[in-house]
Amino acid sequence: MTASRVLVLNSGSSSVKYQLLDMADSSRLAAGLVERIGEETSRLTHEPFTGGAPDGAGAQRERAGRIADHGQALRAVAEELAADGLGLDSPELAAVGHRVVHGGTKFTHPTLIDDAVLAEIRALIPLAPLHNPANVTGIEVARELRPDLPQVAVFDTAFHSTMPEHVARYAIDAATADKYSIRRYGFHGTSHAYVARATAALLGEPEEDVNVIVLHLGNGASASAVRGGVCVETSMGLTPLEGLVMGTRSGDIDPAVVFHLARVGGMPIDEIDSLLNKKSGLLGLCGDNDMREVQRRAQEGDAPARLALASYVHRLKKYIGAYTAVLGRVDAVAFTAGVGENSSSIREMALAGLEELGLALDPEANAARSSAPRLVSAEHGRVAVAVVPTDEELEIASQTYALVTR
């Protein structure tokens, strides 16, 4: 029996998302979420799948009650999988693939985890203090549960490591930048990689022949310019704060805002950090970070919501225009993630007025609801407009399986 299953783990500070996939046919066998780890109201939601589709009504199972830590969480996940005959002791399990947010300049490809690699990931915690510690914990527990099984780290930053040096560098003192590892890394890399490749497939062209602007629009949002399957520019930088207007993050601002708030406002650095990451973006402008609610309020004439929506769309247009200039030739603009996949009006507003760039929507196709990758561009548009549901778990599983079966 050839082992073809990959368990994908995404460990957050108080949550664990997981999927079990069979790479023989890229089908999902199970998926779930453990949330509010460490609280009295912890919950595990588990869903078994058959043939890549949900088993149907009633298939989902839940556990409620305190789950003390990530170790207990992963053991509970293992029990749920075992109840479906998919336990971690199965000989069909080939590897565990871990999402790791920050790989710095060290990790630019999926990497087999050993003690030295884990130490390097720990050393990168200062670059991703909110994410890498939880990623490390998930790796440690998974290694304890299956020390004999290959464990692979797949890094959010890796896809963007191909950016040219003049793009990745900030124009600050080089010695200082090198000392503190200050450069543009980019994030959401597994999503951008998957969507760029899927867009080329949708066009029926080899990936190396297609230039794509990918717009990953969720609560966190980022854009990338991908030339022939290779990322040449992305909107996020040293951290996920740079770039587009997001649900709670400001995106691009004058860095002197930080100095002003410290000197004039007397705000401590941690408070400024919280302001820009957790209390800005759509939330800061109008009090809501759910795009559906922002749009509803804007349609009713709510002034703060209309301002937030206009700011969001303006930044999108700005990046589409900039990345058109960076690529020189654009074959497609691809929308993905929660807002990008589901909001026809955001797609419409983002591309309105960009006809001179070859971008035009087919209103009927754009308005149609579908979970499948699809083109929504008008026939006369020179540049294809695609809606491509992202699949970061499949991307992580694919990269993991390819590494352990070389």
Side-chain angles (χ1 to χ4, degrees):
M1 181 185 296
T2 301
S4 59
R5 295 175 183 172
V6 175
L7 177 63
V8 175
L9 294 178
N10 180 354
S11 298
S13 58
S14 61
S15 67
V16 175
K17 295 178 183 178
Y18 64 94
Q19 285 196 18
L20 181 65
L21 299 98
D22 191 333
M23 300 316 296
D25 57 5
S26 299
S27 63
R28 281 169 178 73
L29 303 177
L33 169 66
V34 188
E35 53 191 330
R36 298 193 289 273
I37 295 171
E39 301 180 20
E40 296 300 325
T41 56
S42 305
R43 183 175 66 176
L44 187 158
T45 306
H46 175 86
E47 186 170 12
F49 288 68
T50 299
D55 277 344
Q60 183 172 290
R61 304 193 296 269
E62 287 192 6
R63 290 190 187 193
R66 179 175 171 78
I67 296 176
D69 53 33
H70 284 71
Q72 188 176 340
L74 285 180
R75 287 178 177 85
V77 169
E79 290 171 4
E80 292 296 333
L81 290 170
D84 298 321
L86 304 169
L88 297 190
D89 58 350
S90 169
E92 296 179 68
L93 188 60
V96 179
H98 297 267
R99 179 204 180 205
V100 179
V101 166
H102 216 304
T105 56
K106 175 78 175 180
F107 298 110
T108 59
H109 297 89
T111 303
L112 278 170
I113 299 169
D114 56 20
D115 291 343
V117 168
L118 190 54
E120 292 274 7
I121 296 172
R122 284 196 193 97
L124 290 166
I125 284 175
L127 290 175
L130 298 178
H131 298 96
N132 271 34
N135 301 157
V136 166
T137 300
I139 292 168
E140 290 173 335
V141 174
R143 292 180 82 199
E144 289 174 11
L145 291 175
R146 281 297 305 268
D148 59 313
L149 198 65
Q151 311 268 334
V152 175
V154 178
F155 299 90
D156 272 13
T157 50
F159 182 64
H160 306 302
S161 65
T162 54
M163 285 189 293
E165 191 68 5
H166 67 273
V167 175
R169 282 276 187 174
Y170 291 109
I172 66 172
D173 174 69
T176 301
D178 290 342
K179 182 177 180 180
Y180 297 105
S181 302
I182 298 171
R183 62 189 289 117
R184 302 184 65 244
Y185 294 100
F187 299 89
H188 295 147
T190 52
S191 176
H192 286 275
Y194 177 87
V195 171
R197 188 169 58 253
T199 301
L202 189 62
L203 297 179
E205 299 288 345
E207 185 179 15
E208 58 269 21
D209 293 342
V210 177
N211 292 353
V212 187
I213 297 172
V214 178
L215 302 172
H216 177 108
L217 308 179
N219 191 50
S222 60
S224 67
V226 183
R227 178 181 292 125
V230 176
C231 178
V232 296
E233 170 70 287
T234 193
S235 59
M236 287 178 167
L238 174 72
T239 74
L241 183 59
E242 187 178 355
L244 302 175
V245 174
M246 302 176 226
T248 66
R249 298 183 192 127
S250 65
D252 295 336
I253 62 165
D254 182 343
V257 169
V258 176
F259 314 144
H260 183 79
L261 291 173
R263 291 170 181 159
V264 178
M267 293 175 65
I269 196 68
D270 287 347
E271 189 176 340
I272 299 172
D273 189 326
S274 178
L275 171 72
L276 298 179
N277 277 289
K278 299 178 180 179
K279 301 175 183 177
S280 296
L282 297 175
L283 182 68
L285 288 169
C286 73
D288 269 309
N289 66 309
D290 187 322
M291 178 57 78
R292 293 165 297 188
E293 185 64 13
V294 174
Q295 289 185 278
R296 183 193 66 76
R297 287 172 50 191
Q299 288 168 0
E300 293 176 355
D302 181 271
R306 293 180 72 176
L307 173 63
L309 191 58
S311 297
Y312 184 96
V313 170
H314 172 77
R315 193 76 57 84
L316 271 178
K317 287 179 182 286
K318 183 176 172 181
Y319 270 89
I320 292 169
Y323 286 179
T324 297
V326 167
L327 289 170
R329 187 198 84 240
V330 178
D331 299 302
V333 172
F335 289 84
T336 194
V339 176
E341 294 170 26
N342 296 305
S343 179
S344 59
S345 57
I346 288 294
R347 297 192 294 266
E348 182 181 354
M349 287 185 282
L351 300 183
L354 301 185
E355 290 81 9
E356 289 298 317
L357 298 181
L359 289 159
L361 285 170
D362 178 321
E364 185 174 340
N366 185 50
R369 302 284 295 183
S370 173
S371 59
R374 60 201 186 277
L375 294 177
V376 296
S377 39
E379 288 187 9
H380 64 272
R382 298 193 314 274
V383 178
V385 181
V387 179
V388 180
T390 192
D391 198 333
E392 294 173 88
E393 289 78 14
L394 178 58
E395 182 68 18
I396 292 169
S398 297
Q399 292 189 28
T400 296
Y401 192 65
L403 180 62
V404 300
T405 55
R406 280 180 183 169

